[in-house]
Amino acid sequence: MRDVEARILNAIDETETVGLLAETVRVPSVTGTDAESDLQHRFARLLTEAGLDVDVWKLDLAGLAAQAGFPGTEAPRQEGYGVAAVTEGEGLPALALQGHVDVVPTGDLAKWEGSDPFAARITGDVLHGRGACDMKAGLVANLAIVRALKRAGVRLARPLAVHCVISEEDGGLGAFATLARGHTAEAAVITEPTSGAVITANAGALTFRLELAGRAAHGATRYEGVNAIEVFWPVFEAIRRLEAERNRDVPEIFGGNPMPYPIEVGTVRAGDWASTVPDLLVAEGRLGVRLEEDPAAARAAFEEAVASAAHPWLRDNPPAVTWPGGQFASGRLPAGHELLGEVNRAVSDVAGRRPAEAAAPYGSDLRLYAAGGVPTLHYGPGDVRFAHAPREQVELAELREVTRALALLAVRRCGVL
């Protein structure tokens, strides 16, 4: 096996991998856009060229939405495609490597250096651009591994699967569809950015919507009205109290994170005329779900907190709470599962260090694979603090290290003929 492992590691073309990452970042695959579908078809072609048996299918959006456990979506979407590939071999894949092709919107272009988030600019050993770390570097690492297997002429005893999914950023529709189609494995690694650590648990995140009624009046006689912005403030304070309460006892696996279950109001819209007392406020945000917590219990706690907000107007005009968009439950690798030790050994052999084990405060596809009976963890290139920001970037040294470690994991877990 040592000779085989050396052959595979030597077959990883690092220059080719960086070039592919740059090409991938240049595809503006914002979730729900045509470019998201374009990138799926591009990866399907690349996986076919790498010698894998590739399944490409158009998602039945209405049918998936009607299924139990549907994770919700936020981005408008007319179509979506699934891509799942598998190497030769008998039986259930011993390992699946998974990544999502979609990225979040760019925000204010003026805040990006060079004003082009999709330029894939390289400075030194860092590649900059939207999606560079979240998570196109991880996607490219997965492809580089199967390319290296083909280049080295190595045949695996048991199949290795590669899943490319859409819609992770707004709920996990792509992973849900992939599992519903029957693509599964004994274990999975999602190559989300982990800064060299191994993430074995995710908190969840539920999107909420609040609607608060006011009473309109002319701004010159505002005392005749009730300002919806003003009555929202005690609701916001109640949300902050709930957040503090839910983060009092933080599990050690979060590694000192003072707030693994944040609650944030991301958008607030109120009023339609400068001199009119606003009679409606709509706020949307995300509620963190604790490890092992039933999302229904998290929703109930939030609704109770909102209802407790103290304001005379709210007694007769309670806020309306709904739950649109992505609904991420929490998830975790089963305690003592062998996958953690296998990843640790592969990283140690490549990098000379044992990676830290941690939990993440954000939702991901991990919980869908875990719910589908696939033990799953995260290990991938990049620092999540750069994700969703105009400074998004990935260190290419991390891409090289992750690719090499997961190549060892794949050959060891799947075996060689």
Side-chain angles (χ1 to χ4, degrees):
M1 279 294 287
R2 290 185 182 275
D3 290 341
V4 171
E5 290 173 3
R7 281 169 51 200
I8 292 170
L9 294 181
N10 290 335
I12 296 171
D13 188 329
E14 295 178 355
T15 301
E16 175 189 75
T17 303
V18 172
L20 178 60
L21 175 58
E23 292 174 14
T24 304
V25 169
R26 291 183 186 122
V27 180
S29 53
V30 174
T31 190
T33 65
D34 290 344
E36 183 187 49
S37 295
D38 291 344
L39 193 53
Q40 281 287 75
H41 289 297
R42 183 177 301 197
F43 267 90
R45 184 180 70 253
L46 293 171
L47 288 163
T48 300
E49 292 171 355
L52 280 70
D53 181 13
V54 181
D55 181 18
V56 184
W57 72 98
K58 188 171 185 179
L59 272 55
D60 177 1
L61 300 179
L64 290 166
Q67 289 189 25
F70 175 68
T73 60
E74 296 184 26
R77 184 181 304 281
Q78 298 302 314
E79 66 174 15
Y81 290 88
V83 175
V86 65
T87 63
E88 294 179 341
E90 296 296 326
L92 184 69
L95 177 68
L97 300 174
Q98 193 258 35
H100 63 85
V101 301
D102 59 314
V103 302
V104 297
T106 59
D108 184 357
L109 295 180
K111 291 184 169 59
W112 289 85
E113 186 171 342
S115 299
D116 184 357
F118 300 106
R121 180 174 54 88
I122 296 177
T123 59
D125 201 44
V126 176
L127 189 146
H128 305 260
R130 171 58 82 230
C133 81
D134 187 15
M135 61 167 291
K136 291 183 175 180
L139 273 172
V140 167
N142 297 344
L143 181 61
I145 291 163
V146 293
R147 280 180 163 180
L149 289 170
K150 180 180 181 182
R151 191 175 288 124
V154 172
R155 293 183 60 201
L156 300 177
R158 298 188 57 201
L160 169 68
V162 177
H163 298 171
C164 299
V165 303
I166 66 167
S167 189
E168 189 275 346
E169 295 291 359
D170 70 330
L173 171 66
F176 183 73
T178 297
L179 293 163
R181 193 167 172 87
H183 292 293
T184 185
E186 281 192 357
V189 174
I190 300 177
T191 48
E192 291 273 13
T194 64
S195 298
V198 177
I199 302 296
T200 58
N202 279 126
L206 309 176
T207 300
F208 62 80
R209 176 185 172 99
L210 293 169
E211 294 187 25
L212 287 86
R215 184 169 62 213
H218 194 292
T221 57
R222 72 173 186 83
Y223 48 83
E224 297 289 345
V226 176
N227 190 316
I229 299 172
E230 183 178 343
V231 299
F232 171 65
W233 186 247
V235 174
F236 184 77
E237 291 181 318
I239 290 172
R240 281 288 182 254
R241 288 193 295 272
L242 175 66
E243 180 185 59
E245 176 186 326
R246 289 173 63 80
N247 286 277
R248 280 204 184 101
D249 298 317
V250 176
E252 290 184 8
I253 195 172
F254 283 102
N257 184 333
M259 193 177 291
Y261 311 123
I263 309 174
E264 186 59 296
V265 176
T267 66
V268 178
R269 301 181 298 278
D272 56 10
W273 193 251
S275 62
T276 299
V277 175
D279 61 357
L280 176 66
L281 179 144
V282 178
E284 294 178 330
R286 59 95 71 190
L287 165 68
V289 180
R290 295 180 291 196
L291 293 181
E292 315 294 346
E293 181 180 30
D294 186 333
R299 293 187 190 99
F302 182 83
E303 292 172 8
E304 183 179 345
V306 168
S308 73
H311 192 286
W313 173 260
L314 295 175
R315 284 198 295 269
D316 296 322
N317 301 273
V321 183
T322 53
W323 301 92
Q327 303 292 300
F328 292 85
S330 68
R332 69 189 312 166
L333 183 75
H337 193 276
E338 62 189 6
L339 180 63
L340 176 59
E342 292 169 350
V343 172
N344 286 342
R345 285 189 291 276
V347 175
S348 178
D349 288 347
V350 165
R353 59 171 175 78
R354 181 184 177 88
E357 180 186 356
Y362 49 81
S364 82
D365 284 340
L366 183 153
R367 98 285 189 189
L368 292 170
Y369 278 74
V374 184
T376 303
L377 56 75
H378 287 186
Y379 173 66
D383 183 338
V384 73
R385 292 176 298 178
F386 291 124
H388 297 207
R391 64 188 184 282
E392 186 168 359
Q393 60 188 263
V394 65
E395 292 189 11
L396 298 177
E398 288 190 42
L399 172 59
R400 291 188 286 269
E401 180 177 296
V402 167
T403 303
R404 293 171 67 82
L406 291 182
L408 289 184
L409 173 70
V411 72
R412 291 171 179 176
R413 186 164 183 85
C414 297
V416 175
L417 291 174

